[in-house]
Amino acid sequence: MEALLLGAGLLLGAYVLVYYNLVKAPPCGGIASLRGRTAVVTGANSGIGKMTALELARRGARVVLACRSRERGEAAAFDLRQVRWGEAGDGERESGNNEVIFMALDLASLASVRAFATAFLSSEPRLDILIHNAGISSCGRTHKPFNLLLRVNHIGPFLLTHLLLPRLKTCAPSRVVVVSSAAHRRGRLDFTRLDRPVVGWRQELRAYADSKLANVLFARELATQLEGTGVTCYAAHPGPVNSELFLRHVPGWLCPLLRPLAWLVLRAPRGGAQTPLYCALQEGIEPLSGRYFANCHVEEVPPAARDDRAAHRLWKASKRLAGLGPGEEAEPDEDPQPEDPGAPSSPSSPHPEELTVSEPHPSPQSSPDLSKVTRRIHVKAEPEP
């Protein structure tokens, strides 16, 4: 009996050490009030994205949930508007933020990305924070004539960023956060077959890692392209998270076995949202634009993820795959023209008529400065390979 108790104690102690050192996420601080600012969070109907949107709404931001499913996106927006906040014991509770809205976005469809950008730019005067949270880890039963993982995880966000960039620049200082993964360390981009269809689980694992590497390189090159504009960007690793992405493609018979294990050793979605929120809200990290963050601090990346030549090559390949023309970067507001509000909407198109809120939109002049930097952060140089 004593041996069993001792073994149980050792296991419990080991779990506590693992939990507090590897699993538990540090809380995000940053700007306390976001009133007068607008944020877009993709894939915000559940998991990390929903918790990210919740925190932004709690701080007073106008939050656009950009989701593929209208039913789930509208339900998430309704939930977030109903949430009430307040410090326990103080007897005061604020009402939920009514400026949480849904707009349809399917990152697998470039037409849907363009339609979302058109609807957003025609209805929203501000964009201060753009968080690319949506992603997939498997193609499931979907068969496309292109690399679906790269399309959803990288090409779609790449195109959306380009189309919304003029608004981000107008509202500068502003930020772009790309949710990546530690899986980028296994990625190896093959530019001769970037967009080839993915077949089989082995290819899916490789394609997922490649798409996460593309996220890190995209943030790096975007920072270079936007230097001096007031728009900064970051790649963020949420950590090991117990979310739908983890169990979405697991066989049904295996889920009951994995759920208790996932609950024990993986972060809750709220914990997974902390690093993306840190990148979006933390003051003083502007000099670290283009870097990769994990557990709310900068983390070094392998040589493949800091290869500037590969990042620039990926940039050019991504423009081609996204269908960006030579002049579109300068004037994306002109392409395409806003849809006729009276025309019927397709399931994958945004719906501008749903953007009505109880208060008028904030003006670009109403927002306090996001980039008050009291000191420049000196970062230790990354080691050469």
Side-chain angles (χ1 to χ4, degrees):
M1 179 61 71
E2 291 181 358
L4 287 175
L5 291 175
L6 178 61
L10 290 173
L11 285 174
L12 179 61
Y15 172 73
V16 169
L17 287 174
V18 170
Y19 178 81
Y20 281 99
N21 286 279
L22 299 177
V23 177
K24 184 176 173 60
C28 166
I31 301 169
S33 176
L34 296 175
R35 295 192 185 280
R37 301 179 188 176
T38 299
V40 170
V41 185
T42 66
N45 57 275
S46 65
I48 298 170
K50 188 175 182 180
M51 291 299 101
T52 301
L54 171 62
E55 184 60 27
L56 294 172
R58 188 187 70 80
R59 299 185 188 213
R62 176 175 174 82
V63 185
V64 177
L65 312 185
C67 311
R68 181 170 59 90
S69 168
R70 167 175 293 277
E71 180 181 359
R72 299 181 67 187
E74 288 180 338
F78 178 82
D79 288 345
L80 296 183
R81 288 194 296 266
Q82 304 309 306
V83 172
R84 295 178 178 272
W85 299 286
E87 294 182 4
D90 62 6
E92 298 180 2
R93 296 174 69 85
E94 296 179 338
S95 63
N97 185 344
N98 288 324
E99 291 199 290
V100 179
I101 63 172
F102 159 80
M103 291 179 67
L105 171 66
D106 181 359
L107 289 168
S109 166
L110 298 182
S112 175
V113 175
R114 289 180 176 276
F116 173 90
T118 299
F120 180 88
L121 293 172
S122 65
S123 61
E124 299 291 330
R126 293 196 63 87
L127 178 56
D128 302 271
I129 301 170
L130 173 59
I131 300 181
H132 293 297
N133 165 80
I136 58 174
S137 59
S138 169
C139 299
R141 298 179 180 178
T142 304
H143 299 284
K144 297 287 186 180
F146 50 79
N147 184 336
L148 183 61
L149 285 156
L150 187 75
R151 173 70 66 88
V152 173
N153 294 350
H154 169 64
I155 299 299
F158 177 91
L159 175 59
L160 183 60
T161 302
H162 275 268
L163 297 177
L164 298 181
L165 202 50
R167 189 60 46 84
L168 286 163
K169 289 179 179 178
T170 299
C171 299
S174 52
R175 296 187 181 181
V176 178
V177 180
V178 185
V179 177
S180 183
S181 165
H184 81 272
R185 299 180 182 279
R186 303 192 305 271
R188 293 294 182 270
L189 292 177
D190 182 351
F191 288 96
T192 65
R193 49 187 302 132
L194 271 182
D195 204 36
R196 291 192 183 179
V198 176
V199 180
W201 65 270
R202 287 187 178 85
Q203 287 190 19
E204 286 184 345
L205 289 175
R206 168 67 185 273
Y208 177 74
D210 291 349
S211 70
K212 295 293 107 177
L213 174 59
N215 292 155
V216 179
L217 291 173
F218 171 47
R220 189 178 185 91
E221 180 66 15
L222 184 61
T224 301
Q225 299 277 344
L226 296 178
E227 188 173 357
T229 65
V231 183
T232 53
C233 49
Y234 313 89
H237 172 41
V241 179
N242 183 13
S243 67
E244 285 190 1
L245 193 65
F246 172 68
L247 292 173
R248 185 177 297 166
H249 305 293
V250 172
W253 63 268
L254 197 54
C255 286
L257 299 176
L258 289 180
R259 286 188 188 280
L261 181 63
W263 183 81
L264 286 172
V265 301
L266 299 180
R267 292 176 181 173
R270 183 179 180 183
Q274 297 308 304
T275 298
L277 285 166
Y278 179 90
C279 292
L281 303 177
Q282 184 63 36
E283 296 174 292
I285 64 170
E286 289 81 2
L288 302 177
S289 182
R291 300 293 297 275
Y292 172 83
F293 284 73
N295 291 318
C296 297
H297 66 264
V298 172
E299 189 170 287
E300 305 298 347
V301 294
R306 48 186 163 89
D307 184 336
D308 289 328
R309 291 180 61 186
H312 188 65
R313 187 178 180 185
L314 176 66
W315 183 275
K316 293 193 293 184
S318 300
K319 285 181 62 178
R320 176 177 55 81
L321 293 174
L324 281 167
E328 264 191 292
E329 290 182 341
E331 301 293 339
D333 283 341
E334 298 177 0
D335 181 18
Q337 294 298 318
E339 294 179 337
D340 181 359
S345 301
S346 66
S348 63
S349 300
H351 299 261
E353 69 273 13
E354 296 180 72
L355 303 183
T356 304
V357 293
S358 58
E359 298 180 4
H361 296 290
S363 65
Q365 289 79 17
S366 66
S367 172
D369 191 357
L370 189 81
S371 66
K372 291 182 179 177
V373 185
T374 57
R375 62 186 177 86
R376 185 173 184 87
I377 300 176
H378 297 277
V379 184
K380 180 177 159 182
E382 298 182 35
E384 293 298 323

